[in-house]
Amino acid sequence: MAEVRNGPEAVELAERSYRLKPDDPYICFILAAAFAEAGDFANALRYLGKAEAVLHERGWTDMVDAVRKQGAFYLKGRPYHMEKWT
């Protein structure tokens, strides 16, 4: 699927969503993935941290492992690509 990935466009679209709902952990998660795809791992980690903070705030701690798994890729300078959905 690499041929359809466009990091800068993904960032632009995700930032629009973030402006509408900055406290949505899913949007923070997606914005982090977009920044990573664009090669901006500092911002990827920043928004992933926001997602984790909101998850803790809302008591959705069962999702924190997914956030940390994604963050491990960013710390290595690699984007995270989800496995194929079934």
Side-chain angles (χ1 to χ4, degrees):
M1 297 291 295
E3 66 276 2
V4 298
R5 291 191 183 103
N6 184 328
E9 184 178 3
V11 169
E12 181 183 331
L13 294 171
E15 282 181 324
R16 282 191 210 167
S17 296
Y18 180 78
R19 283 192 296 272
L20 295 171
K21 294 184 105 181
D23 292 328
D24 186 316
Y26 298 108
I27 291 174
C28 292
F29 198 74
I30 291 166
L31 184 53
F35 273 118
E37 190 64 39
D40 185 346
F41 296 101
N43 270 321
L45 288 165
R46 176 178 164 220
Y47 284 97
L48 203 59
K50 287 183 178 215
E52 185 173 354
V54 174
L55 290 171
H56 279 292
E57 180 181 298
R58 295 183 182 179
W60 299 352
T61 54
D62 57 321
M63 297 178 60
V64 171
D65 284 341
V67 170
R68 291 185 178 155
K69 179 180 177 183
Q70 192 169 332
F73 280 80
Y74 301 164
L75 288 169
K76 295 176 185 173
R78 295 175 39 208
Y80 176 75
H81 300 143
M82 291 179 62
E83 295 176 18
K84 188 174 161 183
W85 290 18
T86 57

